Amino acid sequence: MHDQTIAELAAALERGECSSVELTRTAIERIERASELNAFITVTPESALAEAEAADAARARGEAGPLTGVPIAHKDIFCTEGVRTSCGSRMLEAFVPPYDAFVVERLRAAGAVSVGKTNMDEFAMGSSNETSYFGAVKNPWDRRTVPGGSSGGSAAAVAAGLVPAATGTDTGGSIRQPAALTGISGLKPTYGRVSRYGIVAFASSLDQAGPMASSAEDLAILLQGMAGFDRRDSTCVDRPVPDYRAEMAGTDLRGLRVGLPREFMEAEGVDAGVSSAVSAATQALRDAGAEVREITLPNAGMAVPVYYVIAPAEASSNLSRFDGVRYGYRCDAPDDLEDLYKRSRGEGFGEEVQRRIMVGTYALSAGYYDAYYGKAQQVRRLVQEDFARAFESVDVIAGPTAPSTAFPLGEKADDPVQMYLSDIFTIAVNLAGLPALSVPAGFGDGRPVGLQLIGNYFDEGRLLGAAHGYQQVTDWHRQRPPVEE
Amino acid sequence: MPIDAKEVGQIAHLARLSISEPATRAYARDLSAILDFVEQLGAVDTEGVESLAHPLEMTQRLRADEPTEPDERERFQAIAPATEDGHYLVPRVIE
Amino acid sequence: MEYEAVIGLELHAQLATRTKIFSGAPTAYGAEANRQACAIDLGMPGMLPVLNERAVHYAIRLGLALNAEVAGRSVFARKNYFYPDLPKGYQISQYELPVVGAGHLDIELDDGGRKRIGVTRAHLEEDAGKSLHEGFTRKTGIDLNRAGTPLLEIVSEPELRSAREAVAYMKKMHSLVRYLRICDGNMQEGSFRCDANVSVRPVGETRFGTRAELKNLNSFRFVERAINYEIDRQIEVLEDGGEVIQETRLFDPDRGETRSMRGKEQAHDYRYFPDPDLLPLEITPALIDAVRDELPELPDARAERFRRDHDLSAYDAGVLTGSRELADYYEAVVAAAGDAKLSANWVMGELSGALNKEGLDITRSPIDAATLAGLLLRIRDETISGKIAKEVFEAIWDGEGDADTVINDRGLRQVTDNAAIDAMVEEVIAANPEQLEQYRAGKTKLMGFFVGQVMKASGGKANPQQVNEILKRRLDG
């Protein structure tokens, strides 16, 4: 059962081959047995079983939809009412929100069963899930390596078959990069497609929630459940949600114009294994009838520096609310107000978070704003314009998701800039607000490699269609890590 | 652009972060490396280029001026570190 | 060395919306602590701001009333600093692109002249909560009910040259926001607040001196006293050879002095940047027109109309349009009583006197416009004299009923019967032969004496005009 996709599980449930309660029990047991992966921060067996029972009852009444009774997990950045939401941080170690995130509301309404909250890089800042206060997550393919980040827990949970799907968030690649490193599929929708209400904010103009699962079809099913207008998020777009599965199915690889950015292909520091897997993938697209051509994104090389000004700047402000006054961690016996702030924050936040807060504070401070933040926002527009030009001649852009496969735990932890370069192919997408996904495309040194596909604004249907088409002619996405019991 | 320990102290103060002595030096090193890395932006020609604050061309939606939020003080304060008489408590502030 | 003062005011008007600027929590004054602070106001994780439509409309109203540019596109920015009454660690405000641009406000000076004071800009922002330092043992209690209430910050050009001018400007703006119904102007409740930037420079100097920012000025009197003190203080500093320090100073009303704020960080680095959770605010010409259509008649225009149509003096028109409520009251009286001058005199005279004596605002007047008009009608139709009317007014004020009731109950009806008056005149003349002789001998000033006697005999009720006529006839023989 744990190898099955959502689509397959839904069919099995509908045929009565299993119940949601059984699926949920299995998931919880598997989570327990795989605790070494450290993919979960909080598991909620009781509420999950209650939701599963309700789902089975709904099915009996003939009221089941594509997600009814399917066990899923939420990245611990989504506020879940009554359930601890830690964001991977000591600051929120004991935080129990009195409200649900929009995404949580929607998926519950669709009948999905939430089994728990997955581990993540602290406040979504990281590319390896090593900055979590709750310890690093292990990659199910090779437990000495990282699963990627920041949605490392969700990725590991899906890759290890603990749940068929999980939610993640992506600010600079945090869904796509872990998906690539763990051999699963993950989608970051267009900015504004999914409401950010109830998601602990990292970088407001870049954050977006998205699905992580083991096939493009599953991503479509989940996205259908997650997308929708929410007036509580001013940056959320009021635009009808199409039938993603239908659009996906209606997309043909034949004649699809696929662009390969020269800058990605010529990038330095890309593993040979990654390059060859991605080459093979583009060839597979060609063989299936896609028109593959070279394009150029001249400012792509500036994406990472732009991001590492804008994201920390927004984050430094977003994280100011964590001050030990109304919720969250408070230091012991503060001497005065300054002491309360400094020690609650100094003790509550980990190193990477403090580093980024300081970079952001610096970039916004008097005298530096124009040179850093102001400049970065201008270059951001250039990056966006590059994509706009590219999409005049192609439908989808392809390339590697990450420059390397899963690296050993601890390898990059001491070198922040090196760690930041893991996002070299994913970051530009967030700057422009475009949708993009990663699907498994083979292996390098025995470790999964991801193919990234980038679509035009609100073109998720066609983007998923391209990925789905690729998954019809390859079976990388059906590969599972070796079972370790 | 090298950042020294003193500047780290100033930034940490602005951001209300308590940082130990040894950590200050490590942060100074890291911040210098990061700022060095982002310096490359300076080389890009952005003459006449407008800032991009939001990826989408959207304007702000307006909300009707009708009360929608009920009093949930007990629920919110149940998760507060320190309250008294309905107020959030902090160490006495001298103004 | 002659110095001149250079003053600019930053006024904060709390907008009279039902809900906060970025959340749907109510804004009503006086609720128990933290019962009107929702998750957004508390800055809880994942909560996002959504802009209140009415706050935008109110900002546009003010912009139009100040003849200012209303920005077609304006941007919200975060002002970052840490303080317990600021839940998010930043205030959502506006920085580079405010909703209202440059405009002006004309004020009346003490000498009767007028001066145009430039308004640099007005922008929307959210208010902070309140800190209570008393009542909690060695702690400060934070109440976030006020957090998120919409404010309009109105910044004047530094064109005010005295405390009196500053107060005139502040009063005019106070009246204007109440006219526009965008703010209730209740300074005790903190709905209308003032910070003053004060500096001095030698007369003739065009460069600005260093300025101090004065805070905690929550009444017109305090503003005047604080600014005057500060001007004197700065001049003294300079004359002693010192330098004025740029700083924030608090006004101490008990001592009548301004004090440097102890221990507060003087120079904040607010790290302003556009708020990424909010999109640029677009205001279309159509919206501006719609708001313009619903603008009430503004004070200056209304005063002009009173001058023109009611033939009032500029001074009277100015007084009567001092507040929208007073102008409404006056007009209602005129509409019912039909005599503008009479109405103006009574509203500005007896009524205002009585209200001031008891510290009441026109909105709390025990005599409503219809009732006052009723009294004036009795003067006009000569049921009572103007003098008796004052007695009637006091009786109405004390709750004895309306004009007719009082006149009846107290028998104050004016005597207008010529025969009756004639009889009284005859009696008085007969009772005062000496004065009659003196009068007929040429001391015509004694007419006043006779009039007085007749009035006394009639208990004040004789119609004075008729008394005068009849007396004259009889005295002149």
Side-chain angles (χ1 to χ4, degrees):
Chain A
M1 259 188 326
H2 62 270
D3 282 346
Q4 301 201 303
T5 64
I6 298 173
E8 288 161 356
L9 286 172
L13 283 164
E14 195 54 32
R15 287 191 301 265
E17 285 165 20
C18 60
S19 70
S20 175
V21 168
E22 284 167 338
L23 286 182
T24 304
R25 280 218 179 91
T26 307
I28 291 170
E29 281 161 22
R30 287 181 62 77
I31 291 168
E32 241 158 82
R33 282 203 304 274
S35 61
E36 193 217 319
L37 291 177
N38 203 22
F40 280 80
I41 292 177
T42 303
V43 185
T44 55
E46 275 157 32
S47 59
L49 285 166
E51 286 175 21
E53 277 163 19
D56 286 333
R59 186 173 301 277
R61 289 194 304 270
E63 290 164 14
L67 283 168
T68 306
V70 175
I72 63 164
H74 286 297
K75 181 177 181 181
D76 210 12
I77 199 172
F78 293 92
C79 286
T80 42
E81 187 179 332
V83 175
R84 187 258 300 267
T85 300
S86 76
C87 232
S89 180
R90 185 184 195 193
M91 180 60 79
L92 294 179
E93 184 182 10
F95 175 64
V96 179
Y99 43 78
D100 276 330
F102 172 83
V103 163
V104 172
E105 286 172 351
R106 293 270 305 172
L107 289 174
R108 180 183 303 115
V113 173
S114 173
V115 299
K117 311 298 293 298
T118 57
N119 203 342
M120 53 180 282
D121 276 308
E122 187 180 3
F123 282 104
M125 300 183 193
S127 308
S128 64
N129 218 136
E130 292 176 285
T131 69
S132 170
Y133 177 66
F134 299 90
V137 173
K138 320 281 185 355
N139 191 322
W141 288 88
D142 178 344
R143 294 171 185 219
R144 297 160 305 174
T145 64
V146 303
S150 60
S151 311
S154 285
V158 172
L162 308 182
V163 281
T167 56
T169 60
D170 189 312
T171 306
S174 291
I175 284 177
R176 294 160 285 153
Q177 185 253 20
L181 267 51
T182 56
I184 65 165
S185 305
L187 168 76
K188 182 203 84 68
T190 309
Y191 182 85
R193 177 76 277 183
V194 179
S195 167
R196 293 185 297 114
Y197 175 84
I199 300 176
V200 183
F202 162 18
S204 315
S205 74
L206 302 166
D207 291 345
Q208 192 61 192
M212 304 176 77
S214 51
S215 71
E217 186 178 25
D218 277 7
L219 295 179
I221 296 171
L222 267 167
L223 182 63
Q224 198 76 47
M226 291 168 76
F229 178 58
D230 182 5
R231 58 185 68 253
R232 298 168 299 183
D233 174 4
S234 296
T235 61
C236 175
V237 170
D238 187 2
R239 189 188 166 112
V241 181
D243 181 340
Y244 288 120
R245 261 168 123 177
E247 285 194 359
M248 179 193 79
T251 304
D252 208 332
L253 278 181
R254 273 191 310 256
L256 188 74
R257 300 170 303 164
V258 178
L260 302 182
R262 170 191 321 146
E263 293 76 11
F264 285 6
M265 295 193 295
E266 293 170 2
E268 279 175 24
V270 181
D271 278 3
V274 170
S275 300
S276 63
V278 171
S279 282
T282 50
Q283 188 57 43
L285 292 172
R286 267 194 205 92
D287 293 342
E291 285 168 31
V292 179
R293 71 182 72 143
E294 187 181 280
I295 58 165
T296 175
L297 300 171
N299 293 285
M302 285 294 128
V304 179
V306 167
Y307 176 87
Y308 279 100
V309 171
I310 294 175
E314 293 183 5
S316 70
S317 180
N318 283 332
L319 267 57
S320 291
R321 65 191 63 204
F322 300 107
D323 56 12
V325 176
R326 289 147 286 110
Y327 50 80
Y329 179 84
R330 174 184 279 216
C331 64
D332 261 341
D335 294 330
D336 55 30
L337 186 66
E338 289 293 291
D339 191 37
L340 171 70
Y341 285 152
K342 289 184 171 174
R343 275 198 299 128
S344 297
R345 292 164 59 80
E347 292 166 15
F349 291 138
E351 248 179 59
E352 182 60 30
V353 170
Q354 296 198 34
R355 215 172 354 250
R356 295 201 196 188
I357 288 175
M358 286 197 281
V359 170
T361 304
Y362 185 85
L364 291 173
S365 61
Y368 297 114
Y369 180 95
D370 288 337
Y372 288 102
Y373 190 78
K375 187 79 176 178
Q377 293 285 43
Q378 287 176 300
V379 180
R380 182 178 183 177
R381 184 174 290 279
L382 294 179
V383 170
Q384 187 194 49
E385 286 172 357
D386 281 357
F387 279 110
R389 256 187 306 271
F391 279 114
E392 282 166 14
S393 63
V394 300
D395 304 314
V396 153
I397 295 171
T401 306
S404 73
T405 58
F407 43 90
L409 288 154
E411 182 179 273
K412 299 194 187 184
D414 286 333
D415 190 343
V417 176
Q418 267 315 300
M419 184 69 85
Y420 298 166
L421 290 171
S422 314
D423 299 324
I424 195 173
F425 298 121
T426 50
I427 270 182
V429 169
N430 299 79
L431 296 180
L434 294 163
L437 52 76
S438 178
V439 286
F443 293 85
D445 292 326
R447 296 176 189 159
V449 173
L451 169 73
Q452 177 175 234
L453 295 175
I454 306 168
N456 210 344
Y457 297 104
F458 298 103
D459 205 15
E460 283 86 354
R462 176 151 57 173
L463 180 62
L464 287 164
H468 180 66
Y470 175 73
Q471 288 179 344
Q472 304 292 89
V473 298
T474 58
D475 66 356
W476 301 118
H477 62 291
R478 284 192 223 285
Q479 312 282 321
R480 292 276 176 266
V483 171
E484 272 175 61
E485 294 292 329
Chain B
M1 170 92 214
I3 302 283
D4 62 20
K6 178 158 170 261
E7 273 187 280
V8 170
Q10 286 164 349
I11 299 168
H13 172 67
L14 267 183
R16 298 302 187 273
L17 295 169
S18 69
I19 302 195
S20 70
E21 258 293 325
T24 305
R25 276 172 267 126
Y27 280 128
R29 212 186 47 232
D30 290 337
L31 290 183
S32 299
I34 296 168
L35 290 169
D36 218 37
F37 171 67
V38 302
E39 291 288 292
Q40 21 175 339
L41 289 179
V44 181
D45 179 10
T46 51
E47 184 72 45
V49 179
E50 236 187 274
S51 273
L52 186 69
H54 282 103
L56 305 174
E57 281 300 312
M58 274 170 70
T59 54
Q60 178 62 32
R61 262 194 303 277
L62 298 175
R63 169 180 59 84
D65 186 27
E66 294 299 325
T68 53
E69 304 307 302
D71 167 17
E72 290 193 272
R73 185 173 93 177
E74 277 70 35
R75 290 189 73 207
F76 291 147
Q77 294 195 349
I79 60 171
T83 59
E84 187 182 309
D85 210 25
H87 288 77
Y88 290 97
L89 292 182
V90 296
R92 170 74 59 85
V93 178
I94 324 275
E95 265 179 354
Chain C
M1 170 93 80
E2 280 273 324
Y3 286 91
E4 71 170 354
V6 174
I7 302 155
L9 292 188
E10 281 169 21
L11 301 173
H12 286 86
Q14 225 175 50
L15 297 181
T17 54
R18 299 178 62 196
T19 60
K20 311 267 178 97
I21 187 173
F22 295 116
S23 84
T27 52
Y29 186 80
E32 265 180 62
N34 290 305
R35 290 211 179 279
Q36 288 182 174
C38 69
I40 295 169
D41 304 325
L42 292 172
M44 299 198 78
M47 293 295 99
L48 299 168
V50 189
L51 182 57
N52 184 332
E53 181 175 60
R54 186 165 278 141
V56 176
H57 288 186
Y58 284 1
I60 298 173
R61 266 194 216 174
L62 182 73
L64 292 173
L66 294 176
N67 293 105
E69 285 172 40
V70 174
R73 184 171 175 278
S74 67
V75 171
F76 288 96
R78 294 188 184 179
K79 180 178 181 182
N80 296 280
Y81 65 96
F82 286 88
Y83 203 67
D85 65 8
L86 194 70
K88 295 186 295 295
Y90 59 85
Q91 175 196 31
I92 302 178
S93 177
Q94 296 190 294
Y95 187 56
E96 285 180 338
L97 292 176
V99 58
V100 171
H104 58 82
L105 186 67
D106 293 339
I107 62 174
E108 282 77 43
L109 302 173
D110 287 339
D111 64 9
R114 292 196 111 201
K115 185 171 175 182
R116 174 157 290 184
I117 306 295
V119 172
T120 316
R121 53 182 271 160
H123 67 254
L124 285 167
E125 59 183 26
E126 57 178 352
D127 208 346
K130 283 194 180 147
S131 306
L132 274 81
H133 308 294
E134 315 297 319
F136 302 97
T137 342
R138 284 195 313 272
K139 298 252 185 298
T140 291
I142 309 295
D143 173 14
L144 295 169
N145 279 348
R146 200 181 65 176
T149 306
L151 294 178
L152 255 184
E153 177 173 325
I154 308 164
V155 182
S156 82
E157 291 288 332
E159 292 171 356
L160 301 161
R161 291 285 172 269
S162 70
R164 295 291 303 157
E165 280 185 16
V167 171
Y169 171 85
M170 185 175 170
K171 282 187 169 167
K172 191 80 184 273
M173 191 68 77
H174 181 258
S175 161
L176 182 62
V177 299
R178 290 176 61 191
Y179 252 91
L180 294 171
R181 296 243 159 95
I182 63 177
C183 172
D184 70 16
N186 187 328
M187 289 165 74
Q188 281 89 335
E189 289 179 2
S191 312
F192 193 78
R193 321 203 274 259
C194 176
D195 294 337
N197 290 311
V198 180
S199 67
V200 298
R201 65 185 176 192
V203 173
E205 175 63 67
T206 51
R207 285 169 305 176
F208 290 119
T210 308
R211 65 166 197 243
E213 185 182 7
L214 308 182
K215 287 179 118 58
N216 195 34
L217 308 172
N218 50 27
S219 77
F220 298 122
R221 250 192 10 262
F222 285 5
V223 169
E224 189 167 353
R225 289 170 63 201
I227 292 177
N228 276 326
Y229 176 87
E230 183 60 21
I231 292 170
D232 290 341
R233 183 192 77 84
Q234 289 192 15
I235 292 175
E236 214 182 295
V237 164
L238 293 178
E239 287 188 331
D240 283 349
E243 272 180 28
V244 174
I245 304 170
Q246 180 170 335
E247 60 181 349
T248 304
R249 297 177 71 87
L250 280 183
F251 179 62
D252 180 346
D254 298 324
R255 286 212 180 118
E257 27 181 70
T258 63
R259 262 193 347 261
S260 186
M261 286 181 81
R262 210 172 7 121
K264 179 166 167 148
E265 226 177 288
Q266 293 296 327
H268 281 284
D269 183 355
Y270 292 121
R271 307 185 294 288
Y272 283 100
F273 72 105
D275 193 324
D277 289 328
L278 292 165
L279 297 165
L281 173 63
E282 184 189 54
I283 296 177
T284 59
L287 176 58
I288 297 177
D289 286 342
V291 175
R292 185 181 286 117
D293 286 345
E294 55 172 46
L295 270 185
E297 190 182 22
L298 297 181
D300 285 355
R302 201 164 186 183
E304 182 50 40
R305 181 164 63 81
F306 286 175
R307 289 184 62 175
R308 210 181 48 233
D309 298 352
H310 298 181
D311 205 24
L312 296 183
S313 71
Y315 178 79
D316 288 357
V319 171
L320 289 168
T321 53
S323 81
R324 184 179 183 166
E325 292 79 14
L326 184 62
D328 287 346
Y329 187 101
Y330 161 73
E331 275 206 272
V333 173
V334 175
D339 183 335
K341 199 80 184 101
L342 185 68
S343 302
N345 287 342
W346 273 84
V347 171
M348 291 193 309
E350 292 298 308
L351 181 68
S352 290
L355 288 170
N356 285 339
K357 200 155 137 215
E358 292 189 29
L360 291 173
D361 179 72
I362 187 70
T363 52
R364 309 257 301 286
S365 170
I367 301 182
D368 66 21
T371 307
L372 181 62
L375 174 61
L376 300 188
L377 281 171
R378 289 294 163 264
I379 299 176
R380 290 192 75 198
D381 67 19
E382 300 190 340
T383 305
I384 51 174
S385 68
K387 194 145 168 247
I388 293 290
K390 292 190 176 156
E391 189 189 322
V392 177
F393 177 89
E394 274 168 37
I396 299 174
W397 183 276
D398 289 338
E400 280 180 36
D402 67 3
D404 286 338
T405 308
V406 172
I407 290 170
N408 276 335
D409 289 353
R410 291 197 182 187
L412 295 174
R413 191 164 254 95
Q414 189 167 233
V415 177
T416 51
D417 175 30
N418 279 328
I421 294 177
D422 200 53
M424 281 187 278
V425 166
E426 246 195 273
E427 263 185 55
V428 163
I429 289 177
N432 297 282
E434 243 186 73
Q435 286 82 349
L436 174 64
E437 230 184 274
Q438 287 173 341
Y439 178 86
R440 285 193 172 151
K443 211 169 174 190
T444 50
K445 258 188 5 203
L446 282 170
M447 170 63 83
F449 165 77
F450 281 108
V451 170
Q453 289 299 301
V454 175
M455 292 308 286
K456 207 163 112 191
S458 73
K461 289 184 287 187
N463 179 303
Q465 207 171 327
Q466 286 168 277
V467 167
N468 267 282
E469 269 175 37
I470 293 172
L471 255 177
K472 193 135 196 337
R473 245 189 307 122
R474 283 201 166 261
L475 287 174
D476 287 347

